[in-house]
Amino acid sequence: MKLILDNIKKKYDKKDVLRGASFTFETGYIYGLLGRNGAGKTTLFNCINEDVEIDDGRCMVEVNGGTRNIDVNDIGYVLSTPMVPEFLTGREFLKFFIDINKKEIGQGKTIDEYFDMVSIDMEDRDRLIKDYSHGMKNKMQMLVNFMANPQILLLDEPLTSFDVVVADEMKQLLRRMKREHIIIFSTHILELALDLCDVIVILNNGVLEKIDKASLDNSGFKDRIINALRGE
Amino acid sequence: MLSTFKVSFKLRIAYKTNGVIYGLKSLPLIKKLLPDSLYGSHNLKIFATIISISAELSSIFIGKLLYFASLYWAMILLKMTPESFVHIITFLTFIGAILNTNMFNPTKDKYYAICLMRMDSGKYVISNYIYYLIKTFVGFLVFSVIFGMISGIGIIACIAVSVLVISVKPCYSAWVLMKYKRTKKANNENKPSVIMWITVIILLVVAFLPPYLGYAISEGFFLLLTTLMVIPAVSSIIYIFKFGAYRKIYKELLTPENLYINTSKKTTTEAQLLAMQKKITMDPSQISKKTGYKYFNDLFVKRHSKLLTKSAKWITLISILIYLIVVGLCLFFPDKTKKFNEVLHSSLPYFLFIMYSINRGSIITQAMFMNCDHSMLTYRFYRQPKAILSLFVERLKSIIIINLMPALVIAVGLPSLMLITGGTDQPINYLLLFVSILSMSVFFSVHHIVLYYLLQPYNINLESRSFTYAIANFLTYILCYYTMGKQIPTIIFGSTITVFCIIYVIVAFILAYKLAPKTFRLK
């Protein structure tokens, strides 16, 4: 599968946030989306997820040579601030989610197996989500986005709230998942992007640009990325 | 000390001035004319400064004028003697000392000065406290003399009133400071403890009941009391001057939650969200055997029972109580029943307003957004037309059922009261009362939730941004309020309102079905 962004434009008031962003993302890679504060990374994700309407351009997917519009089930979007229903327990939220997305999830794992996937402790599973820590809420959000098995995963700064152990587990999980998914990962942390991502894409002045590592070593590559972000 | 005060005063005026400009900028029309650079505009700044300084000056007098005027009015109303004036004032002064300390009121200007600007907390508190006492003294002096003389009190006693006020206040504050030294817990005057409330209520009773019954402390006793208060007041002020731990107290008091609206929009949102989240309760009995959106909604209602069903149950209980009292009155005073029967025949318009007031719709939709849709709308599956509509139907059912509980009591109560008090010439009135009360209840339930689904007024930061929503709510209120004063026979009002409600509900339902999938999303 391919996710094709074709000349996407988005304006807020008088500010051009996206000025014709184009890129083709492919299954099998983790893409690191880098950009400076306010560059429009979240806006780009919101456009792909149809949370906001784009002013111009198209987002589509290419499957088996033919293109079509993006479908609800194509995308999982993990926001930087976890958005989970506070009034349910973790278990109830998963039960509800499985009820609603039966078709996509199928007869997969049991609820407890899903909890195991993101290592949420037994005693936390029946507590109200409002009493979860930030990191646990984030795990829940990530989990439900993985469960429906969407082909495209948009992750907005997802690992920053995890402790080092969980962050490492999540990295492993993402690496395993990438074979069958397109994973786009936005972050401020350059080291994390270099460590996890196969392709670095930067968003600068409202357009997307792939940064080639070519024959550079890590530190040379870093310099190239920073220079590109500076607009040099 | 004086320079600290000057700086803090300037700071307060500056932030109030910017507040005035911000207020101007939030007015529709005017906001388009005013650019952001406004905060730097010299002329406008002078204009706003004048407004904020006059606000500061008038704060010295306006509150006191209202205080004395309403006290004077109450005295006339209750036909009290002139001595009552000093009696009531004495006890109200004690209440004022407890509830209005200035020192233990967590305000933004204190936060800016002490926490952000890191000013010397001792100097800040003391200089501002002196300023506060002077302001209070002057404000009280003017009106205690005016209203005291009108009431027939001697000039000395009039002046003594303001002396008493600024003597009692420091005594109480010093006592709170001493208590802080012992317990390490700071008092927040905006969140009085139970003991404080009980004290205040007792003082209120002592202030008004004896004068009403003809007993009051004499002017002479009042003067003696004031003189005696001066001694502890002086030592209290010395204690306040010497007290060294103001920073610690304010560290505890000046939290975003206490200041409520503060520093940034984000904290406001968080405070609001937190307050709403506190309404979620869980106990092991709250389980649901349903599935899908029915399950989701079922648990939502159960977890919010504090907000939803419990208050509806209270309203039901109170309605039953009122009903029983009225029935009792009818039995004890049979001669009054005829008059009451007449009132019942034309009282239905009042019930439009009552049904509006007891409907829990607006608070329910607010909870729905803050504790549920705010996060769930970020998921695409939740925004699918099918999902939106099936949850909409579930929610509508729950809201209608919750609100029908008290409505049913009223709907049965009114016709049965009509029967008890002598019946009616047109038996259709019984049916009309019953049906129209129920349809009003359903109407308001539908109204709130349809408005919410069609206009979804909140943005992701939980700010209500929809002007249309505000207007629609305002119109609903005005309409209900306006109808209240009308004397319309039950037969006309009842049938009209029933037909209206039925049509409205059908139209609203169709509109929601057609439009909600497009309108119900995060802004």
Side-chain angles (χ1 to χ4, degrees):
Chain A
M1 186 191 245
K2 283 180 186 169
L3 167 67
I4 302 167
L5 308 185
D6 181 21
N7 200 28
I8 294 179
K9 288 180 186 163
K10 179 71 197 170
K11 236 184 204 183
Y12 279 116
D13 293 325
K14 280 175 191 154
K15 196 177 172 224
D16 283 311
V17 183
L18 301 174
R19 314 174 176 209
S22 300
F23 206 84
T24 301
F25 300 93
E26 289 177 45
T27 301
Y29 298 96
I30 300 179
Y31 293 86
L33 178 65
L34 295 175
R36 302 183 64 176
N37 288 331
K41 298 186 292 286
T42 305
T43 304
L44 180 69
F45 279 176
N46 287 338
C47 288
I48 299 174
N49 198 38
E50 289 175 8
D51 288 338
V52 295
E53 250 171 74
I54 51 179
D55 299 335
D56 197 15
R58 278 188 76 192
C59 294
M60 50 204 159
V61 288
E62 186 187 304
V63 194
N64 305 327
T67 57
R68 61 167 172 81
N69 284 334
I70 297 176
D71 196 49
V72 196
N73 306 319
D74 289 331
I75 295 185
Y77 182 12
V78 180
L79 293 105
S80 52
T81 28
M83 291 295 199
V84 272
E86 315 275 347
F87 69 95
L88 294 179
T89 65
R91 188 182 299 282
E92 287 163 352
F93 183 35
L94 292 193
K95 179 194 171 319
F96 165 66
F97 191 81
I98 295 171
D99 273 354
I100 296 302
N101 298 286
K102 244 183 230 146
K103 245 197 303 180
E104 291 76 32
I105 299 174
Q107 292 294 331
K109 303 180 165 78
T110 63
I111 291 180
D112 280 311
E113 282 167 342
Y114 281 120
F115 276 125
D116 291 338
M117 243 172 95
V118 286
S119 26
I120 284 182
D121 291 338
M122 214 33 136
E123 69 257 28
D124 291 327
R125 297 177 185 180
D126 293 299
R127 278 172 52 206
L128 283 180
I129 295 180
K130 79 170 173 128
D131 299 324
Y132 280 17
S133 68
H134 189 81
M136 273 160 66
K137 286 183 189 173
N138 220 333
K139 279 184 185 178
M140 287 302 294
Q141 195 197 200
M142 220 174 219
L143 180 60
V144 291
N145 272 292
F146 293 165
M147 277 162 68
N149 204 20
Q151 293 297 296
I152 303 163
L153 279 172
L154 307 177
L155 310 174
D156 193 0
E157 294 275 356
L159 300 186
T160 29
S161 64
F162 292 141
D163 64 53
V164 278
V165 179
V166 182
D168 193 60
E169 286 169 7
M170 288 297 156
K171 275 194 233 168
Q172 305 293 350
L173 188 64
L174 291 174
R175 285 196 184 109
R176 282 199 301 276
M177 288 173 72
K178 80 172 179 187
R179 261 168 269 150
E180 291 156 6
H181 296 84
I182 299 170
I183 298 175
I184 310 175
F185 186 105
S186 94
T187 182
H188 280 300
I189 305 167
L190 190 51
E191 283 70 21
L192 184 63
L194 292 178
D195 177 32
L196 184 66
C197 305
D198 307 300
V199 182
I200 300 289
V201 182
I202 66 162
L203 179 60
N204 211 6
N205 293 323
V207 291
L208 291 166
E209 182 190 350
K210 181 181 170 183
I211 305 293
D212 246 326
K213 191 174 178 190
S215 57
L216 293 172
D217 60 359
N218 257 358
S219 112
F221 191 36
K222 256 190 211 172
D223 290 342
R224 177 176 279 183
I225 294 169
I226 290 173
N227 285 337
L229 285 171
R230 280 201 180 115
E232 287 167 7
Chain B
M1 184 83 82
L2 198 62
S3 66
T4 311
F5 177 72
K6 268 191 200 158
V7 173
S8 69
F9 188 77
K10 272 190 200 155
L11 187 68
R12 185 160 60 235
I13 293 299
Y15 107 82
K16 280 193 178 162
T17 305
N18 283 341
V20 172
I21 299 180
Y22 184 80
L24 283 175
K25 270 180 73 75
S26 60
L27 296 171
L29 282 182
I30 293 182
K31 80 177 162 198
K32 291 227 164 94
L33 300 172
L34 304 175
D36 259 344
S37 51
L38 213 61
Y39 292 96
S41 150
H42 187 65
N43 290 337
L44 196 87
K45 207 118 209 184
I46 292 174
F47 168 71
T49 311
I50 291 170
I51 290 187
S52 53
I53 290 183
S54 14
E56 175 83 20
L57 285 177
S58 55
S59 76
I60 303 176
F61 301 108
I62 289 180
K64 277 95 188 173
L65 171 63
L66 286 175
Y67 174 72
F68 279 105
S70 44
L71 179 65
Y72 185 69
W73 179 72
M75 277 176 58
I76 292 173
L77 208 71
L78 299 172
K79 299 190 181 87
M80 290 175 175
T81 57
E83 285 82 45
S84 321
F85 185 77
V86 286
H87 178 100
I88 297 172
I89 289 271
T90 307
F91 291 100
L92 290 188
T93 299
F94 288 120
I95 296 178
I98 296 174
L99 293 183
N100 190 6
T101 58
N102 182 272
M103 194 180 282
F104 305 106
N105 184 10
T107 51
K108 278 192 252 177
D109 49 343
K110 293 194 184 86
Y111 175 82
Y112 292 142
I114 297 174
C115 298
L116 283 182
M117 306 290 186
R118 306 188 61 80
M119 287 172 74
D120 182 319
S121 59
K123 283 183 186 163
Y124 175 88
V125 173
I126 293 162
S127 61
N128 275 286
Y129 195 65
I130 295 172
Y131 171 65
Y132 169 70
L133 288 183
I134 294 172
K135 256 186 5 180
T136 311
F137 182 77
V138 173
F140 264 92
L141 190 64
V142 172
F143 295 107
S144 65
V145 168
I146 295 174
F147 284 94
M149 302 285 268
I150 299 175
S151 307
I153 303 296
I155 182 86
I156 307 275
C158 293
I159 296 169
V161 167
S162 9
V163 176
L164 182 72
V165 171
I166 63 157
S167 305
V168 177
K169 276 183 193 292
C171 288
Y172 177 75
S173 296
W175 180 73
V176 174
L177 290 177
M178 280 181 215
K179 212 176 77 182
Y180 173 79
K181 266 202 168 159
R182 260 199 343 267
T183 59
K184 299 285 170 229
K185 275 189 84 177
N187 256 38
N188 178 353
E189 75 167 36
N190 298 333
K191 292 178 183 165
S193 64
V194 179
I195 299 174
M196 279 163 81
W197 275 124
I198 294 172
T199 316
V200 166
I201 291 168
I202 292 173
L203 284 171
L204 258 181
V205 173
V206 177
F208 285 96
L209 191 64
Y212 181 68
L213 300 173
Y215 305 100
I217 57 172
S218 67
E219 218 177 297
F221 180 79
F222 171 73
L223 287 173
L224 181 71
L225 180 78
T226 309
T227 321
L228 286 178
M229 276 312 288
V230 173
I231 304 156
V234 171
S235 55
S236 296
I237 291 178
I238 294 173
Y239 186 82
I240 289 171
F241 266 61
K242 285 189 173 161
F243 187 81
Y246 288 111
R247 181 169 288 278
K248 274 189 189 159
I249 291 185
Y250 285 117
K251 271 265 143 72
E252 209 178 306
L253 278 185
L254 300 173
T255 57
E257 206 183 328
N258 279 347
L259 291 163
Y260 195 56
I261 297 164
N262 188 24
T263 53
S264 69
K265 275 184 184 162
K266 210 172 166 198
T267 8
T268 323
T269 316
E270 273 163 16
Q272 269 177 304
L273 257 185
L274 225 69
M276 198 46 112
Q277 276 179 21
K278 279 194 184 145
K279 308 270 189 236
I280 302 174
T281 48
M282 180 181 166
D283 71 68
S285 67
Q286 294 164 337
I287 41 166
S288 172
K289 294 215 164 79
K290 299 175 175 166
T291 57
Y293 287 103
K294 285 194 169 127
Y295 175 79
F296 189 72
N297 183 57
D298 200 22
L299 285 173
F300 180 87
V301 173
K302 283 181 176 151
R303 297 279 150 78
H304 289 84
S305 61
K306 209 167 153 190
L307 205 62
L308 315 183
T309 34
K310 252 186 208 151
S311 60
K313 277 179 193 159
W314 271 110
I315 297 171
T316 313
L317 203 74
I318 291 166
S319 309
I320 294 175
L321 259 172
I322 293 175
Y323 174 74
L324 291 177
I325 290 170
V326 174
V327 170
L329 285 177
C330 290
L331 291 177
F332 280 108
F333 305 97
D335 48 322
K336 295 271 193 281
T337 49
K338 193 167 171 291
K339 178 102 186 81
F340 190 66
N341 185 276
E342 278 167 28
V343 173
L344 266 178
H345 272 85
S346 57
S347 67
L348 200 53
Y350 280 95
F351 279 88
L352 186 66
F353 191 74
I354 292 176
M355 296 315 288
Y356 165 80
S357 318
I358 64 172
N359 196 286
R360 307 289 299 157
S362 66
I363 187 84
I364 298 178
T365 50
Q366 204 184 349
M368 278 174 182
F369 185 77
M370 294 206 173
N371 286 350
C372 180
D373 300 337
H374 169 239
S375 48
M376 290 308 291
L377 276 173
T378 58
Y379 295 88
R380 269 180 86 131
F381 73 90
Y382 195 79
R383 292 197 303 249
Q384 295 313 301
K386 228 178 107 190
I388 289 178
L389 291 178
S390 56
L391 192 58
F392 170 75
V393 173
E394 286 310 312
R395 285 175 162 180
L396 192 61
K397 278 195 249 170
S398 326
I399 292 193
I400 290 178
I401 290 170
I402 290 168
N403 284 304
L404 269 182
M405 200 164 35
L408 213 60
V409 173
I410 299 173
V412 173
L414 280 185
S416 70
L417 277 179
M418 191 178 258
L419 188 71
I420 294 170
T421 55
T424 170
D425 307 335
Q426 294 155 306
I428 185 115
N429 273 339
Y430 295 125
L431 183 73
L432 269 178
L433 279 178
F434 181 75
V435 175
S436 54
I437 291 287
L438 290 188
S439 45
M440 281 184 222
S441 168
V442 174
F443 162 73
F444 284 118
S445 305
V446 173
H447 180 64
H448 281 119
I449 196 161
V450 166
L451 271 192
Y452 172 55
Y453 266 78
L454 289 185
L455 299 173
Q456 205 300 89
Y458 306 97
N459 67 7
I460 190 127
N461 295 325
L462 300 171
E463 297 157 315
S464 184
R465 272 293 169 79
S466 170
F467 194 55
T468 334
Y469 187 75
I471 292 281
N473 272 332
F474 182 67
L475 280 183
T476 316
Y477 174 78
I478 287 294
L479 225 83
C480 296
Y481 190 78
Y482 177 76
T483 325
M484 194 162 64
K486 299 275 163 278
Q487 293 263 328
I488 308 168
T490 297
I491 191 142
I492 297 172
F493 188 77
S495 43
T496 321
I497 199 85
T498 307
V499 172
F500 169 75
C501 289
I502 294 171
I503 294 172
Y504 180 92
V505 167
I506 295 171
V507 172
F509 197 75
I510 294 171
L511 273 180
Y513 239 81
K514 286 234 153 106
L515 300 176
K518 282 186 214 114
T519 53
F520 191 60
R521 41 184 55 221
L522 287 176
K523 302 248 157 71

